[in-house]
Amino acid sequence: MSEEHGPLVDPNELPTWLRPLVERSAEVDATSLGWLRPPEGDSRIRPASVLILFGEEPEHHDGPDVLLLRRAESLNSHPGQVAFPGGATDDGDAGPVDTALREAIEEVGVLPSGITPAATLPELYLAHSDFRVTPVLAHWHHPTPVTAVDPAETAAVARVPISMLTEPSNRINVRIGGRTTPAFLVPSMLVWGFTGGLLDGVLDLAGWSRGWNRGDVRELSEAWQAAVDIDDPGFGQ
């Protein structure tokens, strides 16, 4: 059964740039984010969480950023895809926030003491994998270095500036299997699928999105090459 969602802290305790997103987190439902609501009472649907972790390094002058990882090519499930830290709920997890933080620790080595869970979004139903995923919005108030803890699972980790994601030239749609999904071109990272759709909804909810060419639809292989061709030697440093 779906749980309540919305702010977990007083938005006034957060940076000004993050407050509108957290304040609006209670106003949305799964359909307004472009996803289905999980069916009620189906025990086959497993709970999961992802951590959407926002930070800022003022000395870098790039503005706020969000943490993304690229899955290892050797994985059987979604190899090479870009994702937020996250995964299925374990029996010992206290709830969606606990799951998201545990997975982020295991995947990229974050220190939870430097993270403030700020809000949850409504559960999103992934019909192809039978997961109901709770996105957890968080503020990285004390960022620390992160890395691919297990290279067999994670190929790369990056803090991606929001300004890069909202740059109209970095936004496209990807066509695969007869359907299209929002996608983002990041140096050597193509953000698409579930993560691309969720990121698209979060940027809109926060009021950060800028106008972009929604008619730019590319095949997956072409989109991957476009991301590889982006020349930004300082990215991820």
mmCIF file of all heavy atoms in Angstrom, residues 25-61:
data_model
loop_
_atom_site.group_PDB
_atom_site.id
_atom_site.type_symbol
_atom_site.label_atom_id
_atom_site.label_comp_id
_atom_site.label_asym_id
_atom_site.label_seq_id
_atom_site.Cartn_x
_atom_site.Cartn_y
_atom_site.Cartn_z
ATOM 1 N N SER A 25 6.558 18.670 -3.000
ATOM 2 C CA SER A 25 6.616 17.206 -3.027
ATOM 3 C C SER A 25 5.317 16.552 -2.578
ATOM 4 O O SER A 25 4.999 15.429 -2.987
ATOM 5 C CB SER A 25 7.778 16.704 -2.163
ATOM 6 O OG SER A 25 7.603 17.076 -0.795
ATOM 7 N N ALA A 26 4.560 17.240 -1.736
ATOM 8 C CA ALA A 26 3.291 16.683 -1.254
ATOM 9 C C ALA A 26 2.150 16.900 -2.241
ATOM 10 O O ALA A 26 1.079 16.304 -2.091
ATOM 11 C CB ALA A 26 2.926 17.300 0.099
ATOM 12 N N GLU A 27 2.367 17.745 -3.248
ATOM 13 C CA GLU A 27 1.288 18.139 -4.149
ATOM 14 C C GLU A 27 1.150 17.222 -5.352
ATOM 15 O O GLU A 27 0.169 17.324 -6.097
ATOM 16 C CB GLU A 27 1.523 19.571 -4.646
ATOM 17 C CG GLU A 27 1.648 20.610 -3.533
ATOM 18 C CD GLU A 27 2.101 21.961 -4.060
ATOM 19 O OE1 GLU A 27 2.229 22.094 -5.312
ATOM 20 O OE2 GLU A 27 2.328 22.864 -3.248
ATOM 21 N N VAL A 28 2.123 16.339 -5.589
ATOM 22 C CA VAL A 28 2.127 15.545 -6.808
ATOM 23 C C VAL A 28 1.677 14.115 -6.530
ATOM 24 O O VAL A 28 1.731 13.639 -5.390
ATOM 25 C CB VAL A 28 3.530 15.528 -7.452
ATOM 26 C CG1 VAL A 28 3.924 16.915 -7.888
ATOM 27 C CG2 VAL A 28 4.567 14.940 -6.503
ATOM 28 N N ASP A 29 1.232 13.444 -7.577
ATOM 29 C CA ASP A 29 1.007 12.016 -7.490
ATOM 30 C C ASP A 29 1.783 11.339 -8.613
ATOM 31 O O ASP A 29 2.448 12.006 -9.417
ATOM 32 C CB ASP A 29 -0.486 11.669 -7.540
ATOM 33 C CG ASP A 29 -1.160 12.121 -8.828
ATOM 34 O OD1 ASP A 29 -0.451 12.409 -9.824
ATOM 35 O OD2 ASP A 29 -2.398 12.174 -8.861
ATOM 36 N N ALA A 30 1.734 10.025 -8.658
ATOM 37 C CA ALA A 30 2.532 9.287 -9.629
ATOM 38 C C ALA A 30 2.195 9.684 -11.063
ATOM 39 O O ALA A 30 3.085 9.837 -11.907
ATOM 40 C CB ALA A 30 2.340 7.788 -9.432
ATOM 41 N N THR A 31 0.918 9.890 -11.344
ATOM 42 C CA THR A 31 0.527 10.196 -12.713
ATOM 43 C C THR A 31 1.024 11.571 -13.158
ATOM 44 O O THR A 31 1.369 11.763 -14.322
ATOM 45 C CB THR A 31 -0.997 10.119 -12.871
ATOM 46 O OG1 THR A 31 -1.621 10.980 -11.903
ATOM 47 C CG2 THR A 31 -1.483 8.697 -12.641
ATOM 48 N N SER A 32 1.076 12.524 -12.238
ATOM 49 C CA SER A 32 1.576 13.845 -12.610
ATOM 50 C C SER A 32 3.071 13.838 -12.868
ATOM 51 O O SER A 32 3.602 14.723 -13.534
ATOM 52 C CB SER A 32 1.235 14.881 -11.523
ATOM 53 O OG SER A 32 1.891 14.581 -10.306
ATOM 54 N N LEU A 33 3.753 12.797 -12.360
ATOM 55 C CA LEU A 33 5.165 12.616 -12.665
ATOM 56 C C LEU A 33 5.375 11.736 -13.898
ATOM 57 O O LEU A 33 6.500 11.447 -14.269
ATOM 58 C CB LEU A 33 5.894 11.984 -11.469
ATOM 59 C CG LEU A 33 6.095 12.883 -10.247
ATOM 60 C CD1 LEU A 33 6.639 12.069 -9.080
ATOM 61 C CD2 LEU A 33 7.040 14.037 -10.571
ATOM 62 N N GLY A 34 4.264 11.309 -14.512
ATOM 63 C CA GLY A 34 4.359 10.527 -15.730
ATOM 64 C C GLY A 34 4.416 9.030 -15.523
ATOM 65 O O GLY A 34 4.790 8.290 -16.437
ATOM 66 N N TRP A 35 4.007 8.544 -14.311
ATOM 67 C CA TRP A 35 4.101 7.123 -14.018
ATOM 68 C C TRP A 35 2.773 6.583 -13.518
ATOM 69 O O TRP A 35 1.886 7.342 -13.108
ATOM 70 C CB TRP A 35 5.197 6.868 -12.968
ATOM 71 C CG TRP A 35 6.541 7.199 -13.498
ATOM 72 C CD1 TRP A 35 7.166 8.414 -13.422
ATOM 73 C CD2 TRP A 35 7.411 6.350 -14.232
ATOM 74 N NE1 TRP A 35 8.378 8.353 -14.063
ATOM 75 C CE2 TRP A 35 8.557 7.114 -14.570
ATOM 76 C CE3 TRP A 35 7.344 5.015 -14.631
ATOM 77 C CZ2 TRP A 35 9.618 6.579 -15.284
ATOM 78 C CZ3 TRP A 35 8.401 4.481 -15.348
ATOM 79 C CH2 TRP A 35 9.517 5.256 -15.669
ATOM 80 N N LEU A 36 2.650 5.273 -13.518
ATOM 81 C CA LEU A 36 1.456 4.618 -12.996
ATOM 82 C C LEU A 36 1.517 4.519 -11.481
ATOM 83 O O LEU A 36 2.600 4.450 -10.901
ATOM 84 C CB LEU A 36 1.327 3.205 -13.587
ATOM 85 C CG LEU A 36 1.174 3.093 -15.102
ATOM 86 C CD1 LEU A 36 1.206 1.618 -15.509
ATOM 87 C CD2 LEU A 36 -0.112 3.757 -15.575
ATOM 88 N N ARG A 37 0.337 4.508 -10.847
ATOM 89 C CA ARG A 37 0.266 4.191 -9.427
ATOM 90 C C ARG A 37 0.403 2.678 -9.256
ATOM 91 O O ARG A 37 -0.109 1.902 -10.071
ATOM 92 C CB ARG A 37 -1.067 4.640 -8.835
ATOM 93 C CG ARG A 37 -1.320 6.141 -8.867
ATOM 94 C CD ARG A 37 -2.599 6.448 -8.115
ATOM 95 N NE ARG A 37 -2.954 7.856 -8.173
ATOM 96 C CZ ARG A 37 -3.765 8.368 -9.098
ATOM 97 N NH1 ARG A 37 -4.266 7.590 -10.036
ATOM 98 N NH2 ARG A 37 -4.051 9.658 -9.095
ATOM 99 N N PRO A 38 1.075 2.229 -8.192
ATOM 100 C CA PRO A 38 1.162 0.781 -7.963
ATOM 101 C C PRO A 38 -0.212 0.197 -7.697
ATOM 102 O O PRO A 38 -1.019 0.777 -6.968
ATOM 103 C CB PRO A 38 2.056 0.669 -6.715
ATOM 104 C CG PRO A 38 2.766 1.981 -6.615
ATOM 105 C CD PRO A 38 1.825 2.992 -7.186
ATOM 106 N N PRO A 39 -0.536 -0.957 -8.275
ATOM 107 C CA PRO A 39 -1.802 -1.614 -7.953
ATOM 108 C C PRO A 39 -1.833 -1.995 -6.469
ATOM 109 O O PRO A 39 -0.816 -2.389 -5.906
ATOM 110 C CB PRO A 39 -1.784 -2.871 -8.836
ATOM 111 C CG PRO A 39 -0.747 -2.619 -9.878
ATOM 112 C CD PRO A 39 0.257 -1.704 -9.265
ATOM 113 N N GLU A 40 -2.977 -1.872 -5.854
ATOM 114 C CA GLU A 40 -3.105 -2.198 -4.441
ATOM 115 C C GLU A 40 -3.262 -3.708 -4.255
ATOM 116 O O GLU A 40 -3.920 -4.386 -5.038
ATOM 117 C CB GLU A 40 -4.312 -1.478 -3.831
ATOM 118 C CG GLU A 40 -4.228 0.043 -3.889
ATOM 119 C CD GLU A 40 -3.175 0.605 -2.952
ATOM 120 O OE1 GLU A 40 -2.684 -0.147 -2.100
ATOM 121 O OE2 GLU A 40 -2.866 1.809 -3.074
ATOM 122 N N GLY A 41 -2.641 -4.239 -3.199
ATOM 123 C CA GLY A 41 -2.875 -5.612 -2.797
ATOM 124 C C GLY A 41 -2.160 -6.682 -3.592
ATOM 125 O O GLY A 41 -2.465 -7.868 -3.419
ATOM 126 N N ASP A 42 -1.232 -6.324 -4.464
ATOM 127 C CA ASP A 42 -0.502 -7.322 -5.244
ATOM 128 C C ASP A 42 0.830 -7.603 -4.554
ATOM 129 O O ASP A 42 1.749 -6.786 -4.590
ATOM 130 C CB ASP A 42 -0.272 -6.814 -6.664
ATOM 131 C CG ASP A 42 0.249 -7.900 -7.601
ATOM 132 O OD1 ASP A 42 0.841 -8.871 -7.091
ATOM 133 O OD2 ASP A 42 0.084 -7.765 -8.827
ATOM 134 N N SER A 43 0.960 -8.756 -3.925
ATOM 135 C CA SER A 43 2.145 -9.082 -3.138
ATOM 136 C C SER A 43 3.376 -9.325 -3.994
ATOM 137 O O SER A 43 4.493 -9.368 -3.481
ATOM 138 C CB SER A 43 1.879 -10.320 -2.276
ATOM 139 O OG SER A 43 1.559 -11.438 -3.085
ATOM 140 N N ARG A 44 3.191 -9.485 -5.298
ATOM 141 C CA ARG A 44 4.342 -9.699 -6.181
ATOM 142 C C ARG A 44 5.137 -8.421 -6.414
ATOM 143 O O ARG A 44 6.288 -8.475 -6.844
ATOM 144 C CB ARG A 44 3.867 -10.251 -7.525
ATOM 145 C CG ARG A 44 3.204 -11.619 -7.460
ATOM 146 C CD ARG A 44 2.607 -11.962 -8.805
ATOM 147 N NE ARG A 44 1.598 -10.974 -9.204
ATOM 148 C CZ ARG A 44 0.989 -10.970 -10.387
ATOM 149 N NH1 ARG A 44 1.283 -11.900 -11.288
ATOM 150 N NH2 ARG A 44 0.075 -10.055 -10.667
ATOM 151 N N ILE A 45 4.509 -7.279 -6.146
ATOM 152 C CA ILE A 45 5.180 -6.003 -6.387
ATOM 153 C C ILE A 45 6.062 -5.668 -5.201
ATOM 154 O O ILE A 45 5.590 -5.507 -4.077
ATOM 155 C CB ILE A 45 4.142 -4.885 -6.625
ATOM 156 C CG1 ILE A 45 3.249 -5.253 -7.813
ATOM 157 C CG2 ILE A 45 4.839 -3.563 -6.882
ATOM 158 C CD1 ILE A 45 2.122 -4.281 -8.037
ATOM 159 N N ARG A 46 7.364 -5.565 -5.457
ATOM 160 C CA ARG A 46 8.340 -5.391 -4.387
ATOM 161 C C ARG A 46 8.650 -3.905 -4.152
ATOM 162 O O ARG A 46 8.771 -3.140 -5.106
ATOM 163 C CB ARG A 46 9.634 -6.125 -4.752
ATOM 164 C CG ARG A 46 9.471 -7.627 -4.889
ATOM 165 C CD ARG A 46 10.686 -8.231 -5.564
ATOM 166 N NE ARG A 46 10.762 -7.840 -6.973
ATOM 167 C CZ ARG A 46 11.794 -8.091 -7.764
ATOM 168 N NH1 ARG A 46 12.867 -8.705 -7.277
ATOM 169 N NH2 ARG A 46 11.778 -7.724 -9.032
ATOM 170 N N PRO A 47 8.804 -3.492 -2.891
ATOM 171 C CA PRO A 47 9.156 -2.101 -2.598
ATOM 172 C C PRO A 47 10.636 -1.836 -2.873
ATOM 173 O O PRO A 47 11.501 -2.707 -2.697
ATOM 174 C CB PRO A 47 8.835 -1.953 -1.120
ATOM 175 C CG PRO A 47 9.005 -3.337 -0.568
ATOM 176 C CD PRO A 47 8.564 -4.272 -1.660
ATOM 177 N N ALA A 48 10.941 -0.617 -3.299
ATOM 178 C CA ALA A 48 12.310 -0.181 -3.556
ATOM 179 C C ALA A 48 12.371 1.327 -3.365
ATOM 180 O O ALA A 48 11.336 1.998 -3.262
ATOM 181 C CB ALA A 48 12.755 -0.566 -4.965
ATOM 182 N N SER A 49 13.579 1.859 -3.290
ATOM 183 C CA SER A 49 13.771 3.306 -3.141
ATOM 184 C C SER A 49 14.971 3.750 -3.957
ATOM 185 O O SER A 49 15.894 2.964 -4.209
ATOM 186 C CB SER A 49 14.013 3.692 -1.674
ATOM 187 O OG SER A 49 12.896 3.426 -0.870
ATOM 188 N N VAL A 50 14.959 5.014 -4.361
ATOM 189 C CA VAL A 50 16.136 5.650 -4.953
ATOM 190 C C VAL A 50 16.413 6.942 -4.206
ATOM 191 O O VAL A 50 15.486 7.585 -3.691
ATOM 192 C CB VAL A 50 15.966 5.935 -6.460
ATOM 193 C CG1 VAL A 50 15.861 4.639 -7.254
ATOM 194 C CG2 VAL A 50 14.762 6.834 -6.722
ATOM 195 N N LEU A 51 17.688 7.313 -4.142
ATOM 196 C CA LEU A 51 18.095 8.542 -3.458
ATOM 197 C C LEU A 51 18.437 9.602 -4.493
ATOM 198 O O LEU A 51 19.368 9.433 -5.281
ATOM 199 C CB LEU A 51 19.314 8.273 -2.577
ATOM 200 C CG LEU A 51 19.785 9.457 -1.721
ATOM 201 C CD1 LEU A 51 18.753 9.787 -0.642
ATOM 202 C CD2 LEU A 51 21.139 9.174 -1.093
ATOM 203 N N ILE A 52 17.657 10.681 -4.497
ATOM 204 C CA ILE A 52 17.937 11.822 -5.374
ATOM 205 C C ILE A 52 18.640 12.857 -4.504
ATOM 206 O O ILE A 52 18.013 13.620 -3.768
ATOM 207 C CB ILE A 52 16.649 12.368 -5.996
ATOM 208 C CG1 ILE A 52 15.871 11.233 -6.686
ATOM 209 C CG2 ILE A 52 16.970 13.472 -6.991
ATOM 210 C CD1 ILE A 52 14.560 11.665 -7.303
ATOM 211 N N LEU A 53 19.965 12.841 -4.571
ATOM 212 C CA LEU A 53 20.802 13.577 -3.622
ATOM 213 C C LEU A 53 21.344 14.853 -4.256
ATOM 214 O O LEU A 53 22.147 14.812 -5.187
ATOM 215 C CB LEU A 53 21.957 12.680 -3.168
ATOM 216 C CG LEU A 53 22.909 13.241 -2.121
ATOM 217 C CD1 LEU A 53 22.170 13.670 -0.865
ATOM 218 C CD2 LEU A 53 23.989 12.204 -1.786
ATOM 219 N N PHE A 54 20.890 15.992 -3.726
ATOM 220 C CA PHE A 54 21.292 17.296 -4.241
ATOM 221 C C PHE A 54 22.347 17.927 -3.334
ATOM 222 O O PHE A 54 22.179 17.968 -2.109
ATOM 223 C CB PHE A 54 20.095 18.247 -4.313
ATOM 224 C CG PHE A 54 19.026 17.820 -5.272
ATOM 225 C CD1 PHE A 54 17.854 17.234 -4.803
ATOM 226 C CD2 PHE A 54 19.180 18.003 -6.631
ATOM 227 C CE1 PHE A 54 16.858 16.849 -5.682
ATOM 228 C CE2 PHE A 54 18.192 17.612 -7.517
ATOM 229 C CZ PHE A 54 17.032 17.033 -7.038
ATOM 230 N N GLY A 55 23.424 18.415 -3.936
ATOM 231 C CA GLY A 55 24.463 19.110 -3.192
ATOM 232 C C GLY A 55 24.885 20.367 -3.911
ATOM 233 O O GLY A 55 24.325 20.733 -4.950
ATOM 234 N N GLU A 56 25.892 21.013 -3.356
ATOM 235 C CA GLU A 56 26.416 22.233 -3.979
ATOM 236 C C GLU A 56 27.838 22.451 -3.487
ATOM 237 O O GLU A 56 28.127 22.278 -2.303
ATOM 238 C CB GLU A 56 25.544 23.442 -3.633
ATOM 239 C CG GLU A 56 25.913 24.704 -4.378
ATOM 240 C CD GLU A 56 24.943 25.852 -4.115
ATOM 241 O OE1 GLU A 56 24.249 25.813 -3.075
ATOM 242 O OE2 GLU A 56 24.891 26.770 -4.941
ATOM 243 N N GLU A 57 28.715 22.806 -4.414
ATOM 244 C CA GLU A 57 30.094 23.167 -4.093
ATOM 245 C C GLU A 57 30.308 24.595 -4.586
ATOM 246 O O GLU A 57 30.639 24.808 -5.749
ATOM 247 C CB GLU A 57 31.078 22.201 -4.772
ATOM 248 C CG GLU A 57 31.011 20.775 -4.273
ATOM 249 C CD GLU A 57 31.672 20.596 -2.913
ATOM 250 O OE1 GLU A 57 32.057 21.610 -2.298
ATOM 251 O OE2 GLU A 57 31.810 19.442 -2.476
ATOM 252 N N PRO A 58 30.083 25.597 -3.730
ATOM 253 C CA PRO A 58 30.138 27.000 -4.172
ATOM 254 C C PRO A 58 31.427 27.374 -4.889
ATOM 255 O O PRO A 58 31.415 28.189 -5.817
ATOM 256 C CB PRO A 58 29.977 27.783 -2.866
ATOM 257 C CG PRO A 58 29.232 26.857 -1.969
ATOM 258 C CD PRO A 58 29.724 25.478 -2.314
ATOM 259 N N GLU A 59 32.539 26.764 -4.485
ATOM 260 C CA GLU A 59 33.806 27.130 -5.104
ATOM 261 C C GLU A 59 33.907 26.678 -6.557
ATOM 262 O O GLU A 59 34.764 27.154 -7.310
ATOM 263 C CB GLU A 59 34.988 26.555 -4.301
ATOM 264 C CG GLU A 59 35.066 25.040 -4.246
ATOM 265 C CD GLU A 59 34.291 24.462 -3.076
ATOM 266 O OE1 GLU A 59 33.405 25.162 -2.556
ATOM 267 O OE2 GLU A 59 34.579 23.309 -2.689
ATOM 268 N N HIS A 60 33.048 25.736 -6.982
ATOM 269 C CA HIS A 60 33.073 25.264 -8.363
ATOM 270 C C HIS A 60 32.225 26.133 -9.286
ATOM 271 O O HIS A 60 32.312 25.998 -10.507
ATOM 272 C CB HIS A 60 32.593 23.820 -8.436
ATOM 273 C CG HIS A 60 33.547 22.846 -7.808
ATOM 274 N ND1 HIS A 60 33.221 21.509 -7.631
ATOM 275 C CD2 HIS A 60 34.800 22.997 -7.328
ATOM 276 C CE1 HIS A 60 34.248 20.886 -7.061
ATOM 277 N NE2 HIS A 60 35.203 21.772 -6.862
ATOM 278 N N HIS A 61 31.370 26.980 -8.726
ATOM 279 C CA HIS A 61 30.563 27.945 -9.484
ATOM 280 C C HIS A 61 29.611 27.279 -10.479
ATOM 281 O O HIS A 61 29.207 27.903 -11.461
ATOM 282 C CB HIS A 61 31.465 28.949 -10.221
ATOM 283 C CG HIS A 61 32.459 29.626 -9.339
ATOM 284 N ND1 HIS A 61 32.103 30.506 -8.343
ATOM 285 C CD2 HIS A 61 33.824 29.526 -9.275
ATOM 286 C CE1 HIS A 61 33.190 30.933 -7.708
ATOM 287 N NE2 HIS A 61 34.249 30.352 -8.250
#
